[in-house]
């Protein structure tokens, strides 16, 4: 037996869409197949998601292929899980896990036209890693020593070590001078952009 797991049918009007859907119900019933009503709709193509993708109309009216919000949410949840400090793993282990996930996710969404979203996600991953390192170094003296070992200026290292805003809040600002995107590239953190 053959069947379609997921499919979209595009027509010109809502009336045509309702007529085609009724015809599909009839044909599927003959094949003893059920249509999943919760995923089935006659609706405009823009904003509907399909296999993690969605169609978006730009301000100029150009239709582009984008990543569905749910797919972004799952991506962010997975990155949070990989970079969670409570897991007690080294930065090398975290980077290895990122290398096992990020390139595959990016390859799946290689058809996306709205690539402007990749750079902010890259920045967010770097910020997660900065926060992870600060949490691992924990105390001001260890933070200072670790940043100096990475080549930080004494003033920058002292500023970061003296911040009392929490690890996430401290993962932006002066620390960006040391733990740059180039640094993360050098240790093999994969990029989306």
């Amino acid at each position: 037996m053959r069947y379609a797991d997921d499919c979209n049918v595009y027509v010109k009007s809502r009336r045509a869409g309702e007529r085609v859907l009724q015809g599909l119900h009839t044909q599927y019933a003959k094949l003893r197949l059920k249509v999943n009503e919760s995923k089935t709709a006659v609706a405009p193509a823009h904003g509907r998601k399909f296999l993690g993708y969605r169609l978006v109309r730009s301000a100029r009216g150009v239709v582009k292929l984008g990543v569905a919000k749910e797919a972004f949410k799952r991506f962010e949840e997975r990155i949070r899980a990989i970079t969670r400090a409570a897991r007690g793993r080294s930065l090398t282990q975290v980077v290895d896990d990122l290398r096992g996930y990020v390139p595959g996710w990016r390859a799946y969404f290689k058809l996306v036209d709205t690539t402007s979203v990749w750079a902010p996600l890259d920045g967010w991953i770097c910020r997660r890693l900065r926060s992870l390192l600060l949490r691992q170094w924990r105390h001001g003296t260890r933070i200072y020593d670790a940043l100096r070992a990475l080549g930080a200026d004494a003033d920058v290292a002292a500023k970061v070590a003296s911040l009392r805003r929490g690890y996430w809040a401290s993962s932006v600002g002066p620390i960006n001078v040391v733990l740059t995107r180039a640094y993360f590239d050098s240790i093999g953190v994969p990029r989306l952009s």
Side-chain angles (χ1 to χ4, degrees):
M1 178 187 308
R2 293 176 183 226
Y3 61 95
D5 185 24
D6 287 311
C7 67
N8 284 346
V9 178
Y10 297 99
V11 293
K12 282 189 172 186
S13 69
R14 180 170 196 81
R15 198 168 119 200
E18 289 166 357
R19 190 173 55 246
V20 168
L21 181 60
Q22 184 57 45
L24 288 172
H25 277 288
T26 304
Q27 290 300 315
Y28 290 160
K30 289 178 186 176
L31 297 170
R32 295 185 191 153
L33 296 173
K34 282 184 149 185
V35 174
N36 184 341
E37 296 299 333
S38 67
K39 291 183 176 180
T40 303
V42 175
H46 305 349
R48 298 280 302 166
K49 61 182 179 16
F50 182 69
L51 301 175
Y53 285 92
R54 69 187 175 105
L55 295 175
V56 250
R57 185 184 298 270
S58 73
R60 295 181 189 159
V62 178
V63 176
K64 295 183 175 186
L65 195 58
V67 179
K69 291 177 185 175
E70 294 82 1
F72 273 125
K73 187 175 178 182
R74 284 190 304 273
F75 174 80
E76 289 176 346
E77 287 170 0
R78 181 69 186 270
I79 296 299
R80 280 188 183 98
I82 291 171
T83 59
R84 189 166 289 124
R87 295 180 72 192
R89 296 166 322 117
S90 70
L91 181 62
T92 305
Q93 292 169 317
V94 172
V95 170
D96 286 344
D97 286 352
L98 287 171
R99 277 196 297 250
Y101 177 68
V102 173
W105 193 86
R106 177 65 177 101
Y108 182 81
F109 289 106
K110 68 183 173 190
L111 300 175
V112 168
D113 298 318
T114 55
T115 55
S116 61
V117 297
W118 300 145
L121 283 175
D122 281 337
W124 177 72
I125 291 170
C126 289
R127 185 172 180 192
R128 297 272 319 162
L129 294 173
R130 284 186 205 102
S131 178
L132 172 74
L133 286 172
L134 287 170
R135 190 175 295 274
Q136 287 177 349
W137 295 332
R138 232 175 257 283
H139 304 293
T141 54
R142 286 188 65 201
I143 292 171
Y144 178 86
D145 292 341
L147 290 175
R148 289 291 286 155
L150 289 171
D153 179 84
D155 290 338
V156 170
K159 276 183 189 174
V160 175
S162 66
L163 291 175
R164 299 286 179 234
R165 300 181 300 172
Y167 302 118
W168 181 249
S170 298
S171 64
V172 292
I175 197 169
N176 291 12
V177 174
V178 184
L179 299 178
T180 62
R181 181 65 231 199
Y183 167 75
F184 290 116
D185 286 343
S186 72
I187 62 170
V189 175
R191 278 184 185 243
L192 291 166
S193 57

